[in-house]
Amino acid sequence: MGLLDNKTAIVTGSSRGIGAEVAKYLAAEGAAVVVNYRQKAPRANKVVAEVEAAGGRAAAVGADLTTQAGVQALASAAMENFGSLDVLVLNASGGMESGMEEGYALKLNRDAQVNMLNAAVPLMPEGSRVVFVTSHQAHFIDTVPTMPDYEPVARSKRAGEDALRELVPSLAEKGISLVVVSGDMIEGTVTATLLDRSNPGAIEARRAEAGKLYSVSEFAAEVAKMVTADVETGHTEYVGGADYFDKATTDKSNS
């Protein structure tokens, strides 16, 4: 018996990286998983094939979460494919890609997160859980400075977290809980690669400062655990980067 038998999970941005690994972990616990992608269908289909080869259930669904049609299609896909929606992992994020419209980071990291949740909630029964994935660089942005290249994205992700937290009381009325997972820089992610490209040596410097950076798979395992963890709604789970707490506390005491 898996912890998520007879449950259905949507994992946004799950055709690669952290999202793909989270999808596989949840499927291993028995969940039917909707694997979401924006453009790269072959990547998403590969994740589905890996889940099915391991005996799990999954479906790949293309949806642009910055559009209302996209969020509605993704929420509906859970019901159409598996007949329920019990878990929503808000993993998709971005803003460092080149050639995107002005304000794209806020559109994806705040507005799309709220819109996706609002589309999912009417389908989610009591006892369902929402997990929002963020970074320490974003979560602590008001007290701990981050790299200038990343600051606009960090602020947009913090805005997304704040907007989701405002919904905690209304979610609680429906018996739905929200958990935030905040992680230090993760080795091998797209964001880390882009940051290192714009600021060479950034990842190595952060690794030296923190002592250890989690791998994609290690961090995804922590995210997946929070889907079934016995914690209060609004809980923040911190993964790695213990020095951030010292910095945040120091900054607050000096302000």
Side-chain angles (χ1 to χ4, degrees):
M1 288 287 289
L3 293 172
L4 293 168
D5 284 349
N6 303 313
K7 306 287 187 185
T8 300
I10 290 174
V11 183
T12 66
S14 48
S15 66
R16 64 179 175 181
I18 294 164
E21 294 301 311
V22 170
K24 287 184 252 185
Y25 279 121
L26 298 184
E29 285 293 347
V33 183
V34 176
V35 177
N36 163 238
Y37 66 94
R38 187 165 64 95
Q39 293 177 314
K40 303 292 195 302
R43 286 178 178 164
N45 290 332
K46 183 181 178 186
V47 176
V48 169
E50 289 177 21
V51 167
E52 290 178 342
R57 295 180 297 152
V61 178
D64 182 349
L65 303 187
T66 63
T67 69
Q68 195 57 39
V71 297
Q72 291 293 345
L74 188 55
S76 298
M79 304 302 292
E80 291 162 6
N81 284 278
F82 303 116
S84 67
L85 176 55
D86 311 275
V87 175
L88 174 62
V89 180
L90 294 168
N91 166 74
S93 67
M96 289 202 66
E97 306 88 340
S98 59
M100 304 308 284
E101 65 190 276
E102 187 176 349
Y104 177 75
L106 206 55
K107 189 175 181 182
L108 175 60
N109 296 331
R110 182 192 64 190
D111 302 345
Q113 309 299 318
V114 173
N115 291 340
M116 186 67 238
L117 178 57
N118 286 337
V121 162
L123 308 175
M124 300 178 84
E126 186 175 346
S128 295
R129 173 153 293 175
V130 180
V131 177
F132 176 66
V133 182
T134 189
S135 65
H136 292 352
Q137 290 75 24
H139 181 76
F140 290 106
I141 189 61
D142 291 331
T143 52
V144 182
T146 190
M147 288 168 280
D149 290 333
Y150 189 62
E151 185 168 343
V153 175
R155 292 202 176 277
S156 70
K157 283 189 69 68
R158 181 68 224 197
E161 180 182 339
D162 291 343
L164 291 170
R165 287 188 183 280
E166 287 178 9
L167 299 175
V168 165
S170 62
L171 290 173
E173 289 176 5
K174 297 177 173 65
I176 300 171
S177 56
L178 170 75
V179 175
V180 173
V181 181
S182 178
D184 198 356
M185 273 187 202
I186 309 299
E187 301 263 19
T189 59
V190 174
T191 298
T193 301
L194 291 173
L195 270 173
D196 218 37
R197 192 176 298 161
S198 62
N199 189 3
I203 303 304
E204 189 176 335
R206 180 65 199 135
R207 189 186 303 117
E209 188 176 25
K212 168 189 167 61
L213 296 181
Y214 277 65
S215 69
V216 167
S217 181
E218 288 170 335
F219 181 64
E222 298 302 315
V223 174
K225 284 177 190 174
M226 285 300 108
V227 168
T228 54
D230 184 13
V231 294
E232 294 290 322
T233 187
H235 171 78
T236 305
E237 183 73 9
Y238 297 106
V239 182
D243 58 317
Y244 261 87
F245 311 107
D246 296 333
K247 291 176 187 173
T249 304
T250 301
D251 282 10
K252 279 181 181 174
S253 64
N254 290 339
S255 59

